């Protein structure tokens, strides 16, 4: 089992509001580069999406539950079919998006019990909780040629050092997809 974080990210490490859905002043930065940059399986999830489980925080899940069920392209069919775990203290009904269930109990314990690969999309509070528990195995980052100067960062200031190794890097439209894994010594 691996825990894989996938994020749209700016050159200065901002991950908040890439699509503009939370109406921040700088929101929508990822989508300014055109649909070909963000559409489809840009994170190269492949069979991981077929055999794994997605882990989403409540806010990301609520956004996705309004967007994905109405889409019918092949990638959307895979997104709708994948089992989804929702980390939330307030959400009780996850029926708005098929194959979703709210985690019962502690997030970190639920991830430790999971036998499938876990894919975390967005959901910064979930990512930060799993970072603190040292449970992240891989980061797949779609980096956009944008500098915002403000917003929530994937790697917060004052956090512990994290040593990674680059597994791959390739251009994806206007962005660059990089894969980083735990560094081996």
């Amino acid at each position: 089992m691996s825990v894989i974080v996938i994020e749209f990210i700016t050159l200065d490490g901002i991950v908040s509001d890439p699509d503009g859905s939370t109406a921040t002043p700088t929101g929508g930065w990822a989508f300014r580069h055109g649909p070909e940059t963000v559409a489809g399986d840009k994170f190269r999830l492949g069979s991981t999406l077929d055999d794994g489980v997605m882990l989403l925080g409540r806010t990301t899940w609520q956004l996705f539950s309004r967007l994905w069920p109405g889409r019918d392209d092949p990638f959307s069919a895979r997104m709708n079919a994948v089992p989804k775990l929702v980390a939330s203290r307030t959400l009780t009904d996850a029926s708005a998006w098929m194959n979703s269930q709210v985690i019962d109990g502690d997030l970190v314990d639920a991830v430790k019990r999971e036998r499938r690969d876990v894919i975390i999309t967005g959901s910064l509070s979930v990512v930060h909780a799993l970072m603190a528990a040292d449970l992240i195995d891989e980061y797949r980052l779609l980096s956009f040629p944008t500098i915002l100067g403000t917003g929530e960062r994937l790697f917060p200031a004052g956090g512990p050092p994290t040593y990674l190794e680059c597994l791959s890097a390739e251009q994806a439209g206007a962005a660059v997809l990089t894969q980083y894994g735990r560094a081996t010594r």
Side-chain angles (χ1 to χ4, degrees):
M1 185 273 289
S2 291
V3 177
I4 304 165
V5 170
I6 61 173
E7 296 282 351
F8 292 152
I9 191 166
T10 66
L11 290 179
D12 57 343
I14 305 298
V15 293
S16 52
D17 204 13
D19 64 347
S21 64
T22 58
T24 61
T26 57
W29 49 268
F31 290 71
R32 289 186 178 110
H33 297 280
E36 66 281 351
T37 302
V38 296
D41 188 8
K42 291 298 184 209
F43 292 99
R44 308 289 186 256
L45 295 171
S47 64
T48 305
L49 196 58
D50 297 330
D51 302 327
V53 60
M54 288 190 74
L55 173 58
L56 305 156
R58 179 193 49 80
T59 302
T60 302
W61 181 87
Q62 286 176 321
L63 172 65
F64 284 12
S65 73
R66 291 188 302 268
L67 297 174
W68 289 103
R71 296 178 181 177
D72 61 0
D73 60 275
F75 181 71
S76 296
R78 292 173 77 197
M79 286 290 287
N80 289 324
V82 68
K84 293 165 270 298
L85 299 175
V86 186
S88 176
R89 292 181 190 93
T90 58
L91 187 70
T92 56
D93 180 12
S95 63
W97 192 13
M98 68 191 315
N99 302 318
S100 296
Q101 72 177 52
V102 177
I103 292 173
D104 184 26
D106 181 70
L107 167 65
V108 171
D109 290 340
V111 171
K112 286 180 179 178
R113 285 191 308 269
E114 187 57 54
R115 298 291 172 231
R116 300 167 286 190
D117 287 337
V118 177
I119 306 158
I120 307 163
T121 303
S123 308
L124 195 56
S125 62
V126 171
V127 172
H128 285 167
L130 297 180
M131 277 180 181
D134 194 29
L135 291 177
I136 309 238
D137 298 298
E138 184 179 336
Y139 294 89
R140 295 186 189 182
L141 307 177
L142 197 57
S143 302
F144 290 81
T146 301
I147 298 170
L148 297 176
T150 185
E152 294 182 80
R153 297 181 185 282
L154 177 58
F155 301 102
T162 302
Y163 301 99
L164 304 169
E165 64 178 290
C166 184
L167 304 175
S168 69
E170 64 182 270
Q171 188 165 355
V176 174
L177 174 64
T178 51
Q179 291 180 250
Y180 298 98
R182 291 178 184 258
T184 57
R185 294 184 181 228

